[in-house]
């Protein structure tokens, strides 16, 4: 009798988590569909903010959301080692949450650990291929590494999902750097 009640509770919890994740994906899909079609930069920024708010909120675990916020604050105040521990812990707890990987990628970028950052960005993009923030960060790393063609590709990938993305303004500057390098 006890076993069947426990099994039922676990089944209900699993169904709730799947439903919450599915709902979050549906909302993101709707926002990205709108973002692709919008021609007003002010409205695009509002959609971007909504997307970021979803990415920054864990679909089933408020405690992980709080930890992500805490790690982000630590990162902003320059406490990189502690922030790294926080992000590592979140990733261990839920390795399928793209924003945890993205925050750690950002932290690695700030620490000038570009290879680690690129590795984490790959994880982000495997989980959420439309992550324009990760693609923009990837482009910035490629610029620092003087891999300008790769940087342009990253921005172009972001523009597929977010045509009015401000990072698109970087392309002419990167093309100028390519020309200077070839002289």
């Amino acid at each position: 009798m006890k076993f069947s009640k426990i099994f039922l509770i676990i089944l209900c919890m699993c169904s709730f988590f799947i439903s919450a994740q599915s709902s979050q994906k549906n909302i993101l899909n709707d926002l990205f569909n709108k973002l692709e079609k919008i021609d007003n930069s002010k409205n695009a920024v509002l959609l971007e903010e909504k997307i970021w708010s979803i990415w920054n909120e864990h679909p089933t675990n408020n405690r992980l959301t709080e930890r992500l916020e805490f790690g982000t604050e630590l990162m902003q105040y320059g406490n990189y080692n502690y922030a790294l521990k926080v992000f590592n812990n979140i990733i261990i707890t839920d390795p399928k949450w793209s924003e945890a990987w993205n925050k750690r990628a950002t932290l690695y970028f700030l620490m000038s650990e570009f290879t680690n950052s690129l590795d984490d960005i790959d994880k982000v993009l495997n989980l959420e291929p439309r992550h324009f923030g990760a693609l923009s960060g990837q482009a910035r790393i490629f610029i620092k590494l003087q891999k300008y063609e790769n940087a342009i590709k990253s921005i172009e990938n972001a523009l597929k999902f977010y045509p009015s993305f401000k990072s698109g303004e970087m392309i002419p500057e990167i093309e100028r750097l390519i020309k200077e390098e070839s002289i």
Side-chain angles (χ1 to χ4, degrees):
M1 183 72 157
K2 280 187 179 182
F3 180 76
S4 62
K5 284 184 180 180
I6 292 172
F7 180 74
L8 187 58
I9 290 170
I10 292 171
L11 189 62
C12 287
M13 288 175 61
C14 289
S15 137
F16 168 76
F17 293 142
I18 291 168
S19 174
Q21 288 174 328
S22 176
S23 173
Q24 192 181 59
K25 284 230 183 266
N26 290 338
I27 294 168
L28 278 172
N29 288 339
D30 182 52
L31 290 170
F32 272 104
N33 286 335
K34 290 177 183 174
L35 191 61
E36 284 180 41
K37 296 172 187 151
I38 204 153
D39 58 357
N40 177 321
S41 63
K42 185 177 179 182
N43 289 338
V45 169
L46 293 174
L47 288 172
E48 176 185 341
E49 288 172 3
K50 287 179 184 179
I51 290 168
W52 277 110
S53 72
I54 291 170
W55 281 340
N56 282 300
E57 186 176 322
H58 192 276
T60 61
N61 189 329
N62 289 335
R63 199 142 153 68
L64 288 181
T65 300
E66 291 168 2
R67 287 186 198 163
L68 189 79
E69 291 170 1
F70 179 59
T72 303
E73 285 179 28
L74 290 167
M75 180 171 58
Q76 290 170 344
Y77 289 111
N79 195 340
Y80 296 160
N81 291 328
Y82 193 13
L84 182 60
K85 289 178 185 178
V86 171
F87 295 142
N88 286 342
N89 181 274
I90 295 168
I91 289 167
I92 289 167
T93 305
D94 184 355
K96 293 185 178 181
W97 188 19
S98 64
E99 197 53 33
W101 291 101
N102 187 55
K103 289 291 191 263
R104 193 173 78 173
T106 302
L107 177 62
Y108 280 140
F109 175 82
L110 294 172
M111 298 168 75
S112 297
E113 292 186 24
F114 302 130
T115 301
N116 287 337
S117 185
L118 287 171
D119 289 344
D120 279 3
I121 289 170
D122 286 342
K123 296 265 183 9
V124 174
L125 296 174
N126 282 331
L127 295 165
E128 175 53 87
R130 304 169 295 191
H131 203 300
F132 48 79
L135 288 162
S136 177
Q138 187 180 55
R140 292 177 195 287
I141 293 169
F142 285 142
I143 290 168
K144 287 207 172 271
L145 299 175
Q146 297 180 328
K147 295 182 177 184
Y148 302 123
E149 291 84 6
N150 291 358
I152 290 173
K153 286 178 190 170
S154 296
I155 294 169
E156 287 173 344
N157 284 335
L159 292 172
K160 291 176 189 173
F161 309 109
Y162 187 175
S164 60
F165 192 36
K166 286 190 173 200
S167 289
E169 298 169 0
M170 293 170 46
I171 291 177
E173 180 62 23
I174 298 169
E175 288 171 340
R176 184 189 63 75
L177 292 170
I178 291 170
K179 285 179 186 174
E180 285 179 6
E181 193 176 77
S182 66
I183 295 177

